[in-house]
Amino acid sequence: MGLYATPERQQMMEDRAVEGFGRQSDLLCPFFDTKSLGCSVWQSRPGVCTTYFCKSDRGADGLDFWNDVENYLNHFEWVMANEVCRRLGVTDHQIEMIKAVMTTSDGDEERNYFLQESWGSWFNRKFDFYLEAHKISLYVQPQEIDSLLGEAALELEESLRQRS
């Protein structure tokens, strides 16, 4: 469930991130549309995307700030994704299969198995899954979100306040 870079691209990003990130356009997300300056996949770019390719002129302090922003947005998205999946009936087994899809470097046959297992009854109905997930996400109440985000979000918020 989701989009992931190929293992080759992940390795390239890892190898070149230090010297090239924020400086070389070939390290931009392959889904970034340079004409519209937006995502070609999502209407609202996820947290990792909105902080992607950010450089700061504040040195280590700026880097720490952007890392905290990314961590906060990732935490929020992860918590919401888990809650929506829970409400859609996604099982722990499916979650394990999603992890396997993300980490497998074996052949297409094994990857396809993990994909089918991770999608379960939603396999071949991915559009319906995302549509239903969107509907569910609209009805998660703010007080529920605060509860779901928990202490980790409060700590990240405090760190952001101190760095800004």
Side-chain angles (χ1 to χ4, degrees):
M1 292 183 207
L3 298 171
Y4 305 99
T6 63
E8 295 81 18
R9 180 152 176 94
Q10 289 176 14
Q11 186 62 53
M12 184 267 296
M13 292 291 296
E14 190 174 308
D15 293 344
R16 296 182 42 218
V18 172
E19 83 281 347
F21 186 75
R23 296 181 189 90
Q24 298 173 354
S25 61
D26 65 326
L27 293 179
L28 275 171
C29 174
F31 301 110
F32 185 75
D33 181 354
T34 56
K35 290 180 183 155
S36 69
L37 299 179
C39 181
S40 63
V41 177
W42 308 109
Q43 181 177 359
S44 299
R45 290 170 44 197
V48 69
C49 299
T50 56
T51 58
Y52 193 84
F53 216 70
C54 291
K55 280 293 182 187
S56 171
D57 58 4
R58 293 178 47 210
D61 289 339
L63 181 60
D64 290 342
F65 173 80
W66 282 112
N67 284 336
D68 282 352
V69 169
E70 181 180 346
N71 289 337
Y72 183 83
L73 294 172
N74 286 341
H75 176 69
F76 177 86
E77 291 167 1
W78 184 251
V79 165
M80 285 297 295
N82 278 290
E83 180 62 16
V84 168
C85 284
R86 184 189 67 76
R87 292 182 187 194
L88 283 169
V90 174
T91 66
D92 290 341
H93 172 72
Q94 287 172 282
I95 299 296
E96 290 305 312
M97 292 297 102
I98 292 167
K99 292 176 186 175
V101 167
M102 292 176 7
T103 59
T104 189
S105 59
D106 293 332
D108 288 340
E109 187 176 322
E110 184 177 29
R111 186 173 181 80
N112 287 337
Y113 167 78
F114 290 140
L115 280 170
Q116 288 181 11
E117 286 292 302
S118 66
W119 282 98
S121 65
W122 294 101
F123 193 73
N124 291 328
R125 297 179 42 232
K126 295 172 186 169
F127 180 82
D128 295 334
F129 174 87
Y130 286 117
L131 188 61
E132 192 61 29
H134 174 74
K135 289 176 188 174
I136 288 171
S137 70
L138 294 175
Y139 293 101
V140 179
Q141 299 298 309
Q143 56 272 32
E144 289 179 274
I145 294 170
D146 289 342
S147 175
L148 291 167
L149 290 174
E151 195 65 34
L154 296 175
E155 291 171 12
L156 287 165
E157 288 170 11
E158 182 58 30
S159 180
L160 280 168
R161 273 189 216 90
Q162 290 175 4
R163 293 185 197 284
S164 56

